Amino acid sequence: MATVTPQQLGERIQEQRIRRGFSQSELADLVSLERSVISKLESGQRRVSALELSEIAEALSVRMAVFFEEPTPALVAHRSSQGLDTADTTIDALLADLADEVEFVQSLGALTLPSAEGHWPVPSSRKDAEQLAAQVRSQLGVEPGAPLLDLPRRFAELGLLVMSRDLGQDVADAGTILLRQGGVTLVNSGMKLGRRRLTAAHELGHYLVGDQYTVDYRVSEGRGDVESRLDAFARALLLPAASVTSDWKRLAERSGVRAAAVILASRYRVDMSTLARRLSDLEIVDSSEAAQVRGTVTTRTDMIEYDAFLADDELAGTTQPAIFQRAVLRLVRDQKISPERAVQLLWDLVDQSELPGPAQRDENEIWRFTS
């Protein structure tokens, strides 16, 4: 653990306080200190005792170790249906916690994510976005034309851990933080399946190109173009051009626009707006047909008639990729973390009674340890 100066410690306390939306007065009330004391702690003018720091960490719901670690690089991207430049402290705070949890597991040697060898270039055109999507599908070993399913497992192969929680309607759709090794994305699972998948694919684009999000409008001019090209990348990733084109022409000619829309949206797990936009991108529907696709509502009878039942509802509710969960279980088995900490890291998705017991130790291990 690195040595930090009082000023650095104060800056990290301030950063955590702001991330959680507390004023200095509110934090002072929680830890029974004067607001002026919090101000002096944050500016480094007054040293903080171990007891005070423990109480501050508890009030801010962070580990004390957070104050002694180098801050996460935190290139943050987040996407909001409320507007691209909408600051969202809720998802930012959750992402900060998530990054801390993942790096904690990494620091104990249980989780290794592939390291990106430099970032991929930001697509400068729709054609570039199409090529980037084709490269990613090839790197993931997806059959040409096949639906891209199980996104959390697939994206983890590229170093991006995608997790989800239902954050409600007034919170951003998703956010991403680039870590020292890999990255993490949090998807708001309050959206429908197709929208969740498109959002996850869009965030993968941010991760691959190392695109830095900013809420500063003076810096963010022109970001709309970047977001638009990453949207095009996400659509191309989920809806491969050749197969979507041939499938659409065959289905629309045989069964009509509505049936073709229901079948393709189901097969590739996208919403109707995404499908309509992709068909327009590929110039295989006119504006009237695109509007018809966009307005299509899939009914229960459609699901039966077209065999469109979805067995796996990706990113629904609270989810974590299996690679992360297995790493946490390994730490419990090796007695590197407590069962209580494991349940916390697993977001209460498992009960403490379900955790594995300690691994059998080699009888010579104690000698290696003490020698």
Side-chain angles (χ1 to χ4, degrees), residues 101-114 161 181 321-337 341-342 345-346:
E101 290 170 354
V102 171
E103 292 201 315
F104 171 67
V105 174
Q106 288 177 322
S107 69
L108 296 176
L111 177 64
T112 302
L113 296 175
L161 297 180
Q181 181 192 84
I323 186 175
F324 176 77
Q325 295 179 320
R326 283 196 293 268
V328 174
L329 296 182
R330 193 174 309 129
L331 292 176
V332 175
R333 193 175 287 113
D334 293 344
Q335 300 183 66
K336 290 185 176 178
I337 60 173
R341 179 68 168 137
L345 290 169
L346 294 172

Side-chain angles (χ1 to χ4, degrees), residues 177-239:
I177 290 183
L178 308 185
L179 306 176
R180 298 173 186 83
Q181 181 192 84
V184 291
T185 288
L186 180 62
V187 172
N188 183 352
S189 59
M191 301 175 287
K192 292 184 178 179
L193 169 63
R195 185 71 185 173
R196 292 195 296 267
R197 282 171 45 80
L198 180 72
T199 298
H202 178 101
E203 294 301 309
L204 177 68
H206 274 295
Y207 166 71
L208 292 175
V209 304
D211 180 53
Q212 185 170 9
Y213 171 84
T214 175
V215 295
D216 186 337
Y217 73 93
R218 291 163 300 183
V219 179
S220 64
E221 287 182 5
R223 283 203 54 79
D225 291 340
V226 175
E227 298 294 336
S228 174
R229 290 193 287 272
L230 292 181
D231 263 345
F233 156 77
R235 289 192 296 271
L237 186 67
L238 299 178
L239 292 160

